Amino acid sequence: MAPVNAACIQEPTHRPNPPLSQEDQGIPLIDLSSPDVDALVEAIGHACRQWGFFQIINHGVPSEHLHRVEEAVRKFFHLSPDEKRKVRRDARKVMGYYDTEHTKNVADWKEVFDYTANEPTLAAASVDEDDDRVAYWENQWPQNPPEMRKACQEYAKDMVELAKRLMELVAMSLGLPARRFEEFFKDHTSSGRINRYPPCPSPESVLGVGPHKDPGVLTILAQDEVGGLEVKRKSDGQWIGVKPIPNTYIINLGDVLQVWTNGQYESVEHRVMVNSMKERFSIPFFLNPSHYTMVAPLEELTHTANYRAYNWGKFALTRKRSNFMKLQVENIQIQHFKNIPSQHYIPDSPRVFG
């Protein structure tokens, strides 16, 4: 078992504490096969307002597609470090393997493999608001195991279709036409990730991922039987452990959706505990809009806008800086775009305003 790097130690206020019982978590479980569309839309709306997190069953994703990904990535992560680093990502090649990621300037206890759903993915080339150049993000697929590429590509297609259906239900829950959000995803920048959390000798002072909110539209997460995901409950701020349920996906809303709804639906903090005895795998899919999308509250949901518009591609590129360096300031967050005069100027932050 690897020793704990000092960069992974959490501040005392962020260190793990026993969550409330997983049996009493209360996180909504929604059956997507329900023939009662009105009841389904109502359940989605309630979960989005009250939790910002929910779980889905009977979602239509073939279980064998997920299993193929799980089998392939276990082989990959158990390769030697040198072999995995042949597809290591960096500031230029932003997809691939990485083992020194940070969340809010604290190193995570994990290793990851990232890939885009669209190959290549059109992305912003610069955080400069006057720079319209486009970058092309390419995936780095390992030669070993050879089946990993096809398994991940097949699974990404499943996730895109599921995300499309979820966004239609979310739109309907807001009283909007089902396809209201479709225009934002023509050249979507969505991506898949595989997380491996190794056994940790100091789980009392380390987190697999520190407390954070996802910056995109929504996340679809598959987790293994080990568990470790915790959600900060909106009603009382308590950390709630999310009990693994076979063939179930966990859905959490992202910051973009919070801005689009002008705060009606909110993204919620979550974190990942580590285990001293077992490794853990999780497979999230991040639904993100096209890089040229100006993220702003939808007019039909807004009387007074709570957020200023920002460019998604440049915002996302700015966020990626903290993956490769420890910043001297807080990485950019959507609260920097709230319409509060005292927050209008952000020292040391790039200009990505609309």
Side-chain angles (χ1 to χ4, degrees):
M1 187 179 296
V4 172
N5 188 315
C8 296
I9 303 298
Q10 295 284 331
E11 293 292 332
T13 54
H14 289 155
R15 289 180 185 176
N17 54 287
L20 298 184
S21 170
Q22 292 182 337
E23 301 297 331
D24 301 322
Q25 61 184 290
I27 296 175
L29 179 62
I30 298 174
D31 186 347
L32 288 192
S33 69
S34 172
D36 189 338
V37 177
D38 290 341
L40 180 56
V41 168
E42 183 179 355
I44 293 285
H46 179 267
C48 290
R49 284 189 298 272
Q50 299 298 318
W51 281 88
F53 260 82
F54 55 94
Q55 300 172 94
I56 55 172
I57 56 173
N58 298 321
H59 38 70
V61 177
S63 59
E64 60 269 22
H65 290 187
L66 176 60
H67 293 158
R68 279 199 280 268
V69 174
E70 291 173 331
E71 291 175 0
V73 299
R74 284 180 184 274
K75 293 178 184 178
F76 172 76
F77 280 114
H78 291 153
L79 296 173
S80 69
D82 287 343
E83 187 69 20
K84 289 182 286 190
R85 288 170 185 157
K86 289 181 179 179
V87 291
R88 182 178 172 85
R89 76 182 199 210
D90 55 34
R92 187 174 60 88
K93 297 179 179 179
V94 298
M95 295 295 147
Y97 172 76
Y98 205 59
D99 57 355
T100 55
E101 193 164 76
H102 290 68
T103 300
K104 295 186 178 179
N105 283 334
V106 179
D108 298 327
W109 188 265
K110 68 178 181 184
E111 53 182 339
V112 307
F113 182 87
D114 289 329
Y115 64 97
T116 62
N118 286 332
E119 298 186 71
T121 289
L122 303 180
S126 167
V127 299
D128 185 345
E129 66 174 346
D130 297 320
D131 188 343
D132 294 330
R133 290 178 301 155
V134 175
Y136 295 87
W137 289 354
E138 303 276 359
N139 287 326
Q140 296 190 86
W141 296 109
Q143 292 185 345
N144 187 21
E147 67 270 21
M148 182 169 159
R149 177 175 186 166
K150 182 178 179 181
C152 288
Q153 289 174 327
E154 180 181 53
Y155 186 69
K157 292 178 181 178
D158 294 332
M159 291 295 98
V160 169
E161 289 303 309
L162 178 56
K164 180 180 178 180
R165 186 179 180 207
L166 288 170
M167 289 306 297
E168 290 176 349
L169 292 169
V170 168
M172 294 167 67
S173 76
L174 291 160
L176 302 172
R179 297 174 68 178
R180 175 62 180 89
F181 294 106
E182 193 172 279
E183 63 181 284
F184 301 118
F185 297 101
K186 180 182 178 181
D187 298 305
H188 65 90
T189 56
S190 305
S191 63
R193 162 172 286 192
I194 299 95
N195 294 309
R196 176 183 177 263
Y197 303 95
C200 178
S202 301
E204 70 284 349
S205 58
V206 171
L207 288 169
V209 185
H212 69 285
K213 300 180 181 182
D214 290 351
V217 179
L218 60 76
T219 302
I220 304 172
L221 176 74
Q223 65 170 342
D224 66 12
E225 71 284 353
V226 176
L229 176 66
E230 293 186 359
V231 178
K232 196 171 188 178
R233 190 163 56 191
K234 290 175 63 176
S235 61
D236 58 7
Q238 293 286 337
W239 287 103
I240 307 296
V242 183
K243 181 181 179 181
I245 302 175
N247 205 29
T248 297
Y249 285 108
I250 301 162
I251 313 299
N252 67 275
L253 309 185
D255 289 341
V256 169
L257 195 55
Q258 178 170 324
V259 174
W260 278 343
T261 65
N262 205 33
Q264 289 189 45
Y265 293 170
E266 296 179 345
S267 58
V268 175
E269 266 195 318
H270 49 289
R271 66 184 186 182
V272 177
M273 306 284 275
V274 288
N275 192 297
S276 63
M277 302 297 293
K278 299 179 180 178
E279 65 178 355
R280 174 181 181 262
F281 287 86
S282 70
I283 305 176
F285 176 83
F286 304 106
L287 178 67
N288 297 322
S290 306
H291 77 90
Y292 45 77
T293 299
M294 293 303 297
V295 180
L298 300 181
E299 290 185 5
E300 54 265 61
L301 298 178
T302 304
H303 176 66
T304 301
N306 293 326
Y307 300 90
R308 301 186 305 282
Y310 62 92
N311 178 280
W312 164 251
K314 296 184 183 301
F315 178 93
L317 192 59
T318 303
R319 287 287 297 254
K320 285 186 178 295
R321 294 187 311 158
S322 68
N323 290 340
F324 305 107
M325 67 183 76
K326 184 170 182 176
L327 304 179
Q328 299 304 310
V329 296
E330 179 188 22
N331 204 357
I332 196 166
Q333 309 285 340
I334 60 165
Q335 64 260 30
H336 295 145
F337 298 94
K338 292 201 75 171
N339 274 324
I340 300 174
S342 63
Q343 292 186 346
H344 186 75
Y345 174 68
I346 312 166
D348 300 314
S349 293
R351 297 175 64 201
V352 291
F353 300 111

